[in-house]
Amino acid sequence: FFRRGSSQANAISLPRPHGKSFAHRSELKQAKRIVVKLGSAVVTRGDECGLALGRLASIVEQVAMLQNQGREMMIVTSGAVAFGKQRLRHEILLSQSVRQALHSGQNQLKDMSVPVLEARACAAAGQSGLMALYEAMFTQYSTCTAQILVTNLDFHDEQKRRNLNSTLHELLRMNIVPIINTNDAVVPPPVPSSDLQGVNVISIKDNDSLAARLAVEMKVDLLIALSDVEGLYDSPPGTDDAKLIDTFYPGDQQSITYGTKSRVGIGGMEAKVKAALWALQGGTSVVIANGTHPKVTGHVITDIVEGKKVGTFFSEVKPAGPTVEQQAEMARQGGRVLASLLPEERGEIICRLADLLTEKREEILSANRRDMELATASGRLSQPLLNRLSLSTSKLNSLAIGLRQIAVSSRDSVGQVLRRTRVANNLELEQITVPIGVLLVIFESRPDCLPQVSALAIASGNALLLKGGKEAANTNKILHQLTQEALSMHGVKDAIQLVSTREEVEDLCRLDKLIDLIIPRGSSQLVRDIQRAAKGIPVLGHSEGVCHVYIDSEASIDKAVDIVKDSKCDYPAACNAMETLLIHRDLLRTPIFDQIIDMLRTEEVKIHAGPRFASYLTFSPNEVKSLRTEYGDLECCIEVVDSMQDAVDHIHKYGSSHTDVIVTENEETAEQFLQQLDSACVFWNASSRFADGYRFGLGAEVGISTARIHARGPVGLEGLLTTKWVLRGEGHTVADFSEQGSMKYLHENLPVPQRNLS
Amino acid sequence: FFRRGSSQANAISLPRPHGKSFAHRSELKQAKRIVVKLGSAVVTRGDECGLALGRLASIVEQVAMLQNQGREMMIVTSGAVAFGKQRLRHEILLSQSVRQALHSGQNQLKDMSVPVLEARACAAAGQSGLMALYEAMFTQYSTCTAQILVTNLDFHDEQKRRNLNSTLHELLRMNIVPIINTNDAVVPPPVPSSDLQGVNVISIKDNDSLAARLAVEMKVDLLIALSDVEGLYDSPPGTDDAKLIDTFYPGDQQSITYGTKSRVGIGGMEAKVKAALWALQGGTSVVIANGTHPKVTGHVITDIVEGKKVGTFFSEVKPAGPTVEQQAEMARQGGRVLASLLPEERGEIICRLADLLTEKREEILSANRRDMELATASGRLSQPLLNRLSLSTSKLNSLAIGLRQIAVSSRDSVGQVLRRTRVANNLELEQITVPIGVLLVIFESRPDCLPQVSALAIASGNALLLKGGKEAANTNKILHQLTQEALSMHGVKDAIQLVSTREEVEDLCRLDKLIDLIIPRGSSQLVRDIQRAAKGIPVLGHSEGVCHVYIDSEASIDKAVDIVKDSKCDYPAACNAMETLLIHRDLLRTPIFDQIIDMLRTEEVKIHAGPRFASYLTFSPNEVKSLRTEYGDLECCIEVVDSMQDAVDHIHKYGSSHTDVIVTENEETAEQFLQQLDSACVFWNASSRFADGYRFGLGAEVGISTARIHARGPVGLEGLLTTKWVLRGEGHTVADFSEQGSMKYLHENLPVPQRNLS
């Protein structure tokens, strides 16, 4: 568990000449010894100079949690000044009011003001209260604390440094959380300034450099420096171009422009970066983050330790590849060129990719074998998942066939004119199809997704970020290389990027400035997680497929049995498999009912009874817990309804608007059902399993959507397109069309070339 | 500020026979005296029995804030048991380990267990620590606290009750927050149970009834009872049909089904409801809410006081109309019938509404005059807003004309076949247009929105919830009545509902189970607020319109001047007005440049210089703060670019993808611009002001969308439609198409009736 080979707990040494900090955020999970530095903005309230109790409590909770995981936690805190100021102010007001009471009649009460409080006095007065508060809070987590007061000078005295070092090690050994503060009462008098937000206070030097010194001295793995800034920006925050730097490398320092007026003078950004770089050079990884943001405070420390993209991470090791933000930018640029190619050129790229899948079959299958071996060895994947991971010559062949179909349909996608209007003389409007922009496709296990989704993106002129599962890393890598090889033939290699498996899905879902649409392909759980995590980016897909088959009183026996069998048993784990069978009341105890039940028994389908169905039976199977269950297995619910209308109501109430089926010979009943039912797919006398892009003749699908806007049902190429409006005039102005103007709106529809929807 | 006429602070009386609680959540803002009751689940952590410090700190913060607003706050708390248990457990473990150390060798260390702790002892041991914690926390907000220990029995003794009452009044008078707990040490011994989540503890009666008694005794306006349940459900939570009750009326009590196994025995839901009804009868309003939910804890108390829909509100006064949830349900039902009408019938309804606007002109204008008078008297609306609020005969006439146009286009909306495919023999697939579902349109000031949006909803078969501004309440009311009158002719009156002005927009945006699409019509701020508040519901619209006009080196002088003038000055507040003028470098100090500047000066447009433009000038106007500014006034930014390509890059970087214009005589340059630029509307030699549904010939618009999926640019009828897939077979199953099956996919495109896009 210790990262460094032989960490000698009590060794006293100067900062190592060149320690080894973590190269990537994902490694921060391994941090054993952590210092959390709380800037004064974190510990004190924003409006006044009292302590921000809720924030402190949450920080204590996170530190205690990490401590309970077996990590060695230290806190470097501010706040004694604020605590003491609150206290001293109160004392002064009291003594003033007593004095004024003695001079009553002079009516000076209104003018009563608090004099400038000396920071060192405040700190001394506040230190005891602050420690008592920390102790009371940590006690709730059965965690002991210890107070350490130091000055920067203490580090210069070899003896003091050695004593401090061994004291801290001893405390950590006993699972005690040292809480370290500067011993302000004995430092030189500070200069007055208006640093802290309360005005009548003299600030003291922030504790950035103290935390950095301590981190290096104690060979700390990770220093988390919390203040009220999000992290390090490449330009002064608030300017047009300012971007938060996710990972900062020491060599990049010259690329930063610091603001001329840093809001916090001492302890400002430059000082923070200096301290961070010092710690980094000493072998400690550093993250600078905002500890005051109300939404993230609750998790900021644990999120950082879990490797999430919070604040700015300082790393000495510059990774070989581009960051995901750079990849998204490259993809967008490449995508714009891709969209401007001729349709035939996009088709050629897809055909070339299809060829490569055959030509490079051996390389692909060998990479896939490596993934399969690793997955089998780890034993983490179930047999169905292993099947999905595995590629074969026949899988590659059918993939190539599918790709060639997409190449054909790609001819009529981008740049199609959907509508043409003559708005006025010489003013013509067109609505044309354009790509959506940058797509992020997140897929699990199945590496055959990669060329399929890539082909759809190429056909629709979209840029694409691909995020595959770790288990298919080798296969995905070679398939992506082949895709880029195909793209290169028209100079758009960058339009499709493979995102490192190290990137967290949750972090990607937050890149709303870079990504236009997320398409998750995987389990319902994956989809739900992504829907929750996506901030301002639409997610195409569905998280539930509670599909119904309704057997009407006028159903044909054969069709009913066949459709129920196909809908439930063909592939029970599919989202378009039947979950609930609705049976018309009149059919109970008729041959059609008996045959369906017999078939389900033969197929070993476990039956759950809906409440009404159960009430009809003497010996009922298990009653369902919920009528909204997606079993995803050889299980289903059976419920009784009074009529077609009753079935529609049931489906509206308990269904997920995915795919629902009626089996009946009565055309009128069927048409009523098809009309009334508000689902993405409504079928008459056909299996629910037909809800699929390929079976619908869309060539391929990126998924099935149960959203009500944009694409609905199986989504093919068209779901990856949006439109733009192009208006061509001759200097037309709106004023020309006013009552006094010379022009009139014509709004004549002009013929549009018929689209080929194949 | 006191709600009740003459609240005699020291009057001692039995609970008033029938006090007057608040009728609606929106009145809770007026609550002067508030009791916050913290159940043990709120005060203690979920996993163990320590205190939940973060939660407590946040509660203290909210209570202190409300206290500082001049309200009289009281807290009824639990938690002493948990605090004491933590402490006693520690003591016991210590003494046990000492004992075991004396008997070493018996190796009993593993079996060391904590005996059942008597709750009363725990409470006594914990009370002092709990109070110290509250005091430390409240001190941070300069708020004093006082401890009160009572038993339920104290209320039965007239003398004790009188003493308690006057003590509490005295404390409130001195701005002290009384913190009340049951005096558990002196109550009868409780029965053992496993109520609290820690197992080895004997629970004590929850403090629901204590809080209710106290509330009535102290004539409290509002009792906020926080526990770990969301509120009151109509069925046991977790069952399929369980719905959280927003507002509960005493008469509704029989409609509740309590769960057979309430998780928390004593202090369970029935007891909470009983206590709440008791308080309500005594004149205190009650809200039961979850105080443990991590996302809302930070605001739960202040949100309740601000009237937001949190938990269950107990009210004695049942409002006349339906709740907004009921309205949404009625609208959905009505909408389904509306969608199933014939297109001509929907057209008839719209024409009838157009007729009514003329027939009932006098009533409408008179209602509008009342709104205008109220608005003028209040002085809260600026002149432009007053103009938007005001209706006139001519406005009504052009409204009626617009409606008749919508009626015509409504013929080709719902049920249009977009695609037909013969999947196989006798298996036919259709993709048809269907309504989106339930729309929520939120609009400010302009009451003419109401009939317009209603007509679009009717034409597209959508249900509609309308939420207008308070300032137009009278006008909206009559316009909505007329809409319902028109809808009645085909029995679909309920499809369009007017939401009470009392409902908070933020609450409506959370109704993701009831609403499918939100369309805000109003200021950018309104749109941004709604985008932020909408949880899981798509929002159609745009929050920014940073539109550019680029003057190419080959532009015509006349066209350039006309287009810049129209784009900026025709209606500067519009979202499609120009904000940034990009000028080709070669044009600087040419006649075209001078004429544009002269025109802008004449029109009194304030000019801001982009950084490059400023660098070319000796005496530059103000340099822009940001190149992304939407001025929305007679102001604009001017910047210099090197080329068309440079202009495209600038717009991609700083624009909002709304509408951007090129002025040039070079067709090739123009087509490049139109092709490359990634905005919803791209124009050549035409004013940006043409970006508008009516000017585009869409008949009317619900707004302009800058989203990349679904509708983009001006959105008319089509943006209110989605599709569903209808498959008609003869018992087809997917198995028939397997390798062993008898059928083959044909995927033949069948002719589709050409849509009339007028």
Side-chain angles (χ1 to χ4, degrees), chain B residues 554-567:
Chain B
E554 297 175 67
S556 125
I557 295 196
D558 290 348
K559 289 179 190 169
V561 172
D562 287 353
I563 288 173
V564 170
K565 180 178 168 191
D566 198 65
S567 296

Side-chain angles (χ1 to χ4, degrees), chain A residues 177-198:
Chain A
V177 174
I179 296 176
I180 300 129
N181 208 342
T182 46
N183 192 359
D184 294 312
V186 302
V187 295
V191 285
S193 87
S194 55
D195 274 7
L196 290 176
Q197 280 142 340

Side-chain angles (χ1 to χ4, degrees), chain B residues 193-205:
Chain B
S193 87
S194 56
D195 274 7
L196 289 176
Q197 280 142 339
V199 277
N200 289 335
V201 75
I202 295 171
S203 108
I204 55 165
K205 201 164 159 55

